[in-house]
């Protein structure tokens, strides 16, 4: 009987020792190493700022329209306690700035947020407006772990907002405690006020079912060349909240682990920058905290892309849209996203020369931000490269008229109102070579070309443009 | 020897302390309601651990097949099958899976297991360890019906819902009883909200202790409700054998339809189902 007892005790002793050893192995690498740890306080604003810099609110640049005057605290309004943050969103024509936004920074070296799963706060508005963006991780430095939630609906009563942390294990030293940006887009230009209270990082335990995405969950197919630089975009993390709502946040690239299926074709770094280095096809995918992100990039490289012929016309005779050889006459929107368009447009760096790569085009355009006065000019130049036979591209040069608005008959695609155009087919293309076109500003443009506003591109479907400019001989 | 004696004493006191802690935990676990009837059902009579891969044991589990009358009375959208796509055992876990697919005129398929005519019992402790699915319109349940239902139609036969849950409320468990005068929307029911956790991220134990004139509802170590005849708005119909059902419904009046964000497939994972009875029964 006594023996038996001893055995039991020994067993328990051993077991205890085992557990003790096991758990101590998990917690520390060695007795000699001590990692620096940072404050694990999750509070940001309760009735006063908690551990923030003296400025408390660090505004976006007033030179870029941010209004630094509309920020303060309000001792008459609080969800809990005695005070809240009050933000007065200005009208767009406010002389102090047409929108309000900025960040709160930790006053120390940063905080250890690994024990939390969400940024939460209570908010109420003077009206039912929508705050454009809120988040954290923006520190006006690298913004390495920036997180943004968009379109936060205000109620005129207090409402709790939950912004999930995409992967808190990354946040061992974060300074960017809070970020917001608000304008009057949803109130027709009328200013309004919103209050924020009980702003803190929390461990809710109910942030679950992660569903990360790259390229907004789309499987993108892209042609590229050795030397091409591409960027993984559309980075998001979605969690299911206790309310059953799926909350999506935009997550910085550093939350993701990117992977290339063939490192001899394309390599991808921790910022999601893809460099094409060889011939073949590589699939770029990502994981976030061990969960495979939906969406991918299949990049196919046919080897190196020859440089387009270097333009030789004197700059004085040229108004450029897209070329390294000339200063652009206007900036342009190269991906206007027309309804029904299937086109993917990427500006790809080809050994120092940017080219415009179009994939799966049905119709798209290049919309000039400012119209081009081509009254003294006679031709449009464009260099075109194709990788497969039979590609033909329809090009329409559009003058948008005195009202400077692109007006198209949605039934037949023809210009209407005071718009006119000239249409030209880019044909006779040779695979694997640049073909240069000199297109006369003819047809209706002969008498109306002082408000050139767009190039419309049809068919293809896959082609590359470079050196797009208007000129006179 | 001295040393050893000393050691022993230390260990014993540690063990004693542990017992003290356990005792405290036990006491606090049972002290939610001092007036409740706490029963001791210790005689394990059904121990389904789903240890054999493939179909569940047909000596215990049958299936309801089809889409029922009026979607099993609730306008549910799924067609129940016994195909392995909808019900199978893998790695010691029973998987009941709702699929989005066109099947026999329905948009979804799933499964409903029941022990009718195979395992029926009056009173006892019935519990299952389950990880629930999630999403709008997802409706899993672990429940019981009176075994005389063929002669005594619902709600007369009685129903005990040990666990039901709406996928759009991933922290909220609902336990209910239905009977004549208190069925459907008028069931005697209580919700329990899990704090700082969810039912779709890990396994939880859902159970009842059921004896004469009481049903105690618990989840994990929390006893969250007791229903006695005084709580009812009709007769007590829970003094006869009941059988067990487990199913994963899609849509219907209780949860509403799935929406574009509901992900499929959704799987309810059952680690075990255990039934105990009182030794004296």
């Amino acid at each position: 009987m006594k023996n038996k007892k001893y055995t039991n005790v020994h067993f328990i002793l051993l077991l205890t020792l085992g557990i003790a050893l096991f758990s101590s192995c998990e917690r520390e690498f060695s007795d000699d190493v001590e990692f620096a740890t940072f404050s694990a306080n999750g509070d940001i604003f309760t009735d006063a700022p908690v551990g923030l810099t003296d400025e408390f609110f660090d505004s976006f640049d007033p030179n870029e329209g941010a209004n630094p005057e509309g920020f303060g605290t309000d001792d008459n309004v609080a969800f809990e306690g005695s005070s809240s943050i009050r933000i007065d969103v200005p009208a767009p024509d406010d002389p102090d700035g047409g929108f309000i936004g900025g960040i709160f920074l930790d006053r120390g070296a940063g905080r250890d947020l690994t024990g939390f799963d969400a940024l939460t706060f209570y908010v109420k508005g003077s009206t039912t407006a929508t705050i454009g963006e809120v988040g954290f991780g923006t520190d006006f430095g690298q913004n390495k772990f920036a997180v943004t939630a968009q379109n936060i609906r205000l109620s005129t009563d207090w409402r709790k907002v939950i912004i999930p942390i995409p992967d808190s294990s990354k946040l061992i030293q974060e300074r960017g405690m809070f970020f917001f940006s608000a304008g009057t887009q949803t109130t027709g230009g009328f200013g309004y006020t919103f209050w924020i209270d009980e702003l803190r990082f929390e461990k809710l335990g109910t942030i679950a079912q992660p569903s990360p995405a790259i390229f907004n969950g789309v499987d993108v197919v892209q042609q590229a060349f050795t030397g091409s630089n591409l960027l993984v975009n559309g980075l998001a993390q979605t969690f299911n909240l206790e309310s059953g709502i799926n909350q999506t946040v935009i997550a910085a690239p550093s939350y993701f682990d990117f992977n290339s299926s063939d490192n001899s074709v394309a390599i991808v770094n921790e910022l999601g920058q893809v460099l094409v280095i060889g011939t073949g096809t590589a699939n770029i995918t990502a994981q976030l905290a061990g969960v495979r992100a939906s969406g991918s990039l299949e990049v196919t490289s046919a080897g190196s892309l020859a440089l387009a012929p270097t333009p030789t016309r004197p700059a004085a005779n040229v108004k450029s849209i897209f070329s390294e050889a000339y200063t652009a006459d206007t900036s342009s929107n190269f991906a206007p996203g027309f309804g029904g368009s299937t086109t993917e447009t990427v500006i790809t760096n080809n050994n120092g020369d940017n080219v415009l790569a179009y994939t799966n085009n049905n119709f798209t355009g290049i919309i000039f931000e400012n119209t081009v006065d081509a009254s003294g000019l006679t031709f449009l130049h464009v260099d075109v490269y194709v990788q497969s036979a039979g590609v033909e591209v329809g090009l329409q040069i559009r003058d948008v008229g005195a009202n400077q608005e692109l007006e198209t008959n949605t039934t037949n695609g023809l210009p209407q109102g005071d718009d006119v155009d000239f249409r030209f087919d880019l044909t006779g293309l040779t695979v694997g070579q640049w073909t240069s076109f000199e297109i006369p500003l003819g047809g209706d443009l002969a008498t109306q070309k002082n408000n050139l506003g767009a190039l419309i591109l049809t068919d293809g479907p896959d082609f590359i443009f470079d050196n797009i400019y208007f000129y006179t001989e | 020897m001295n040393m050893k004696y000393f050691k022993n004493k230390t260990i014993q006191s540690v063990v004693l302390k542990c017992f003290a802690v356990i005792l405290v935990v036990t006491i606090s676990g049972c002290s939610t309601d001092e007036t409740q009837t706490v029963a001791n059902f210790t005689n394990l009579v059904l121990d389904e651990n789903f240890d054999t891969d493939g179909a569940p044991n047909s000596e215990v589990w049958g299936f309801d097949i089809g889409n029922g009358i009026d979607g099993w009375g609730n306008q549910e959208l799924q067609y129940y099958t016994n195909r392995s796509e909808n019900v199978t055992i893998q790695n010691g876990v029973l998987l009941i899976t709702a699929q989005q697919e066109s099947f026999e005129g329905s948009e979804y398929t799933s499964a409903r297991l029941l022990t009718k005519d195979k395992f029926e019992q009056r009173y006892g402790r019935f519990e299952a360890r389950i990880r629930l699915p999630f999403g709008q319109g997802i409706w899993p349940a672990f429940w019981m019906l009176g075994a005389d239902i063929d002669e005594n139609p619902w709600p007369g036969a009685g129903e005990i819902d040990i666990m039901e849950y709406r996928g759009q409320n991933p922290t909220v468990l609902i336990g209910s009883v239905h009977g004549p005068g208190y069925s459907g929307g008028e069931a005697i029911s209580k919700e329990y909200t899990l704090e700082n956790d969810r039912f779709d991220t890990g396994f939880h134990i859902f159970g009842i202790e059921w004896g004469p004139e009481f049903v105690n509802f618990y989840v994990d170590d929390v006893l969250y409700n007791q229903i006695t005849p005084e709580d009812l708005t009709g007769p007590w119909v829970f003094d006869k054998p009941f059988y067990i059902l487990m199913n994963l419904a899609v849509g219907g009046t209780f949860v509403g339809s799935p929406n574009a964000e509901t992900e499929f497939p959704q799987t309810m994972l059952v680690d075990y189902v255990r039934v105990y009875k009182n030794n004296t029964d």
Side-chain angles (χ1 to χ4, degrees):
Chain A
M1 197 53 201
K2 205 167 187 183
N3 269 337
K4 204 173 179 184
K5 200 170 185 182
Y6 277 141
T7 315
N8 277 341
V9 168
H10 277 145
F11 176 68
I12 291 166
L13 179 67
L14 275 172
L15 193 69
T16 315
L17 207 63
I19 290 164
L21 280 174
F22 189 73
S23 58
S24 66
C25 281
E26 279 204 332
R27 290 207 177 111
E28 282 169 359
F29 292 105
S30 118
D31 289 342
D32 304 329
V33 179
E34 261 191 47
F35 291 106
T37 53
F38 301 92
S39 166
N41 185 359
D43 288 347
I44 304 167
F45 183 95
T46 50
D47 278 332
V50 181
L52 303 179
T53 51
D54 290 338
E55 303 89 81
F56 177 15
F57 171 64
D58 198 346
S59 175
F60 289 132
D61 191 349
N63 293 326
E64 291 173 12
N67 186 326
E69 305 300 324
F71 184 89
T73 55
D74 191 333
D75 289 340
N76 297 315
V77 178
F79 173 76
E80 226 175 70
S82 58
S83 183
S84 67
I85 293 166
R86 174 181 169 136
I87 293 159
D88 294 314
V89 183
D93 58 356
D94 190 302
D96 290 331
F99 76 101
I100 185 162
I103 62 171
F104 301 172
L105 277 177
D106 179 58
R107 74 179 296 127
R111 297 196 200 173
D112 177 357
L113 302 178
T114 55
F116 303 108
D117 57 17
L119 173 74
T120 69
F121 57 89
Y122 288 85
V123 65
K124 83 166 187 174
S126 59
T127 184
T128 54
T130 298
I131 309 174
E133 295 185 325
V134 297
F136 58 90
T138 300
D139 57 8
F140 290 170
Q142 289 187 323
N143 304 329
K144 193 172 177 187
F145 294 113
V147 168
T148 305
Q150 295 182 304
N151 300 326
I152 304 299
R153 288 296 306 273
L154 291 175
S155 158
T156 50
D157 195 4
W158 291 103
R159 188 176 276 184
K160 187 170 186 177
V161 174
I162 296 171
I163 301 170
I165 301 175
D167 176 8
S168 64
S169 72
K170 304 272 189 188
L171 303 182
I172 54 172
Q173 186 188 1
E174 180 56 55
R175 287 202 74 205
M177 295 290 102
F178 187 59
F179 150 81
F180 73 91
S181 178
T184 53
Q185 290 86 346
T186 59
T187 55
F190 287 98
Y192 60 95
T193 298
F194 65 95
W195 293 266
I196 290 174
D197 200 5
E198 303 305 313
L199 175 62
R200 58 169 57 91
F201 290 97
E202 271 193 273
K203 174 75 177 178
L204 294 173
T206 52
I207 306 288
Q209 308 292 359
S211 177
I214 61 174
F215 297 106
N216 296 313
V218 176
D219 293 316
V220 174
V221 177
Q222 179 69 47
Q223 54 172 332
F225 298 90
T226 304
S228 291
N229 287 300
L230 307 166
L231 185 66
V232 181
N233 56 29
L235 303 176
Q237 170 74 306
T238 302
F239 282 105
N240 189 254
L241 307 184
E242 180 175 5
S243 59
I245 288 169
N246 288 326
Q247 176 66 52
T248 297
V249 295
I250 299 165
S254 294
Y255 284 105
F256 289 81
D257 297 315
F258 298 100
N259 179 265
S260 167
S261 65
D262 190 341
N263 279 322
S264 69
V265 176
I267 54 175
V268 57
N269 69 11
E270 71 280 7
L271 296 177
Q273 295 163 337
V274 180
L275 176 62
V276 180
I277 58 171
T279 306
T281 298
N283 205 27
I284 307 296
T285 55
Q287 291 192 337
L288 200 167
V291 179
R292 167 77 194 271
S294 61
S296 64
L297 170 67
E298 185 189 295
V299 57
T300 299
S301 162
S304 55
L305 171 67
L307 289 177
T310 305
T312 54
R313 297 187 187 279
N317 294 354
V318 168
K319 288 190 175 176
S320 177
I321 300 300
F322 183 89
S323 176
E324 255 72 35
Y326 306 107
T327 304
D329 188 62
T330 170
S331 53
S332 298
N333 179 0
F334 294 99
F338 293 146
S341 173
T342 59
T343 313
E344 289 168 26
T345 309
V346 175
I347 297 175
T348 298
N349 185 302
N350 176 42
N351 296 307
D353 177 45
N354 283 330
V355 298
L356 268 170
Y358 292 90
T359 306
N360 199 25
N361 183 51
N362 54 354
F363 57 91
T364 186
I366 299 171
I367 311 296
F368 310 158
E369 307 263 318
N370 299 303
T371 60
V372 174
D373 180 359
S375 24
L377 308 179
T378 48
F379 287 94
L380 171 71
H381 174 96
V382 59
D383 296 323
V384 186
Y385 188 99
V386 293
Q387 289 172 272
S388 51
V391 174
E392 298 187 355
V393 183
L395 176 70
Q396 305 166 13
I397 308 166
R398 175 72 69 94
D399 188 286
V400 293
N403 69 3
Q404 307 214 339
E405 280 176 25
L406 189 64
E407 294 161 296
T408 305
N409 183 317
T410 52
T411 308
N412 58 22
L414 292 170
Q416 61 183 20
D418 63 359
D419 285 22
V420 296
D421 74 2
F422 178 68
R423 301 185 172 199
F424 188 89
D425 287 331
L426 306 173
T427 60
L429 299 163
T430 306
V431 174
Q433 279 184 23
W434 286 100
T435 306
S436 297
F437 291 89
E438 318 298 335
I439 304 161
L441 301 179
D444 289 341
L445 293 183
T447 53
Q448 182 186 327
K449 55 184 175 183
N450 58 341
N451 278 306
L452 298 183
L455 301 175
I456 307 297
L457 309 174
T458 61
D459 303 324
D462 301 334
F463 52 92
I464 295 168
F465 277 6
D466 199 2
N467 298 320
I468 306 168
Y469 56 87
F470 300 99
Y471 69 95
T472 184
E473 286 177 294
Chain B
M1 274 310 275
N2 255 342
M3 197 56 196
K4 205 164 191 177
Y5 178 70
F6 175 73
K7 255 189 195 166
N8 277 348
K9 198 163 185 202
T10 312
I11 288 160
Q12 273 168 352
S13 70
V14 167
V15 169
L16 274 174
K17 272 180 196 163
C18 287
F19 273 130
V21 170
I22 290 165
L23 203 66
V24 168
V25 169
T26 313
I27 288 165
S28 64
C30 291
S31 64
T32 35
D33 181 354
E34 286 176 15
T35 62
Q36 74 201 7
T37 309
V38 178
N40 265 316
F41 299 98
T42 52
N43 184 12
L44 183 62
V45 291
L46 180 74
D47 188 15
E48 282 293 297
N49 287 303
F50 306 111
D51 285 336
T52 309
D53 282 5
N57 179 5
S58 61
E59 290 182 8
V60 178
W61 302 103
F63 296 96
D64 275 335
I65 304 292
N67 50 14
I69 297 163
D70 185 33
W72 305 100
N74 302 301
Q75 297 167 35
E76 297 163 33
L77 303 176
Q78 79 291 332
Y79 191 99
Y80 284 135
T81 86
N82 59 1
R83 304 172 306 156
S84 60
E85 293 95 317
N86 298 115
V87 55
T88 189
I89 295 167
Q90 286 177 13
N91 304 314
V93 179
L94 172 69
L95 308 175
I96 305 174
T97 301
Q99 309 270 3
Q100 186 170 28
E101 58 176 335
S102 288
F103 190 90
E104 301 287 337
S106 295
E107 288 175 64
Y108 305 92
T109 57
S110 187
R112 170 147 128 181
L113 292 76
L114 65 170
T115 64
K116 191 178 184 218
D117 301 329
K118 294 171 187 269
F119 180 87
E120 297 172 346
Q121 182 176 305
R122 182 180 76 154
Y123 308 144
R125 172 175 160 191
F126 295 73
E127 69 173 30
R129 186 168 181 265
I130 307 173
R131 196 183 96 185
L132 296 178
F134 83 106
Q136 166 65 42
I138 299 294
W139 180 17
F142 169 49
W143 53 301
M144 304 205 298
L145 282 170
D148 60 344
I149 192 162
D150 291 340
E151 301 80 46
N152 185 11
W154 190 90
E159 171 181 332
I160 302 173
D161 299 329
I162 303 169
M163 177 283 294
E164 61 182 335
Y165 150 107
R166 296 178 177 95
Q168 60 265 37
N169 301 131
T171 64
V172 181
L173 157 73
I174 304 148
S176 314
V177 297
H178 302 246
Y182 51 98
S183 66
E186 275 73 53
I188 308 304
S189 190
K190 185 170 178 181
E191 293 190 349
Y192 174 79
T193 302
L194 201 57
E195 296 296 328
N196 302 321
D197 197 2
R198 300 164 55 115
F199 290 113
D200 60 336
T201 53
F203 284 91
H204 294 271
I205 296 166
F206 304 94
I208 56 163
E209 288 180 311
W210 165 35
E213 305 211 323
F214 73 90
V215 182
N216 288 339
F217 290 79
Y218 61 90
V219 55
D220 301 323
D221 59 352
V222 179
L223 188 60
Y224 70 93
N225 197 20
Q226 178 174 62
I227 295 176
T228 64
E230 294 86 74
D231 300 312
L232 304 185
T233 51
W236 180 261
V237 292
F238 306 101
D239 292 319
K240 60 184 180 182
F242 275 58
Y243 61 86
I244 301 169
L245 302 95
M246 287 191 293
N247 64 282
L248 175 50
V250 179
T253 45
F254 183 74
V255 278
S257 293
N259 61 22
E261 291 188 358
T262 309
E263 288 175 35
F264 285 94
Q266 282 293 327
T267 301
M268 168 178 176
L269 294 82
V270 186
D271 181 27
Y272 62 71
V273 177
R274 289 179 187 155
V275 179
Y276 303 79
K277 64 194 284 188
N278 198 325
N279 277 323
T280 58
D281 277 356

